[in-house]
Amino acid sequence: MSFSLSTTVVSPEGEQLYTFEYAALVTQTSIALVQVYVELGVIEAIGSMLHPREIARIAQIQRLRQDLGLNLAGAAMVLDMAAEIAQLRAQLKAHQSRPQNELF
């Protein structure tokens, strides 16, 4: 498998985006598997490019599947629930840090 040097682009928002080929290389998967994840909605692509958080999600899915034996749907659900829990914890922390007189 050969890779060109142009595996990244910068989005209009200034974020680095990476090719499916690069994602497959760093997550030790295949380009076809990355495409399947996009088609199933497990990860989100921007055209044919991926945000680093999506590449990290591929790696996390692979670990959950290999280490815990989860299927793809189960691994995606675990990651979605973990993200939701983190968001709820952040909201709770922000709410708890408000002075009492601002609550009402």
Side-chain angles (χ1 to χ4, degrees), residues 14-88:
E15 299 176 315
Q16 287 280 99
L17 301 175
Y18 298 89
T19 62
F20 288 6
E21 292 84 2
Y22 178 80
L25 176 68
V26 299
T27 60
Q28 299 179 345
T29 60
S30 68
I31 297 166
L33 185 61
V34 172
Q35 291 170 332
V36 167
Y37 284 3
V38 171
E39 290 169 8
L40 294 175
V42 176
I43 60 171
E44 294 181 24
I46 302 166
S48 62
M49 305 297 287
L50 296 171
H51 191 277
R53 70 178 164 265
E54 299 302 320
I55 296 172
R57 186 172 168 92
I58 293 169
Q60 291 170 328
I61 288 169
Q62 292 303 104
R63 279 195 300 276
L64 288 169
R65 295 185 75 192
Q66 292 168 0
D67 296 349
L68 299 179
L70 297 178
N71 63 20
L72 179 58
M77 187 180 296
V78 166
L79 293 178
D80 290 344
M81 286 189 305
E84 187 171 342
I85 289 168
Q87 180 183 22
L88 290 170

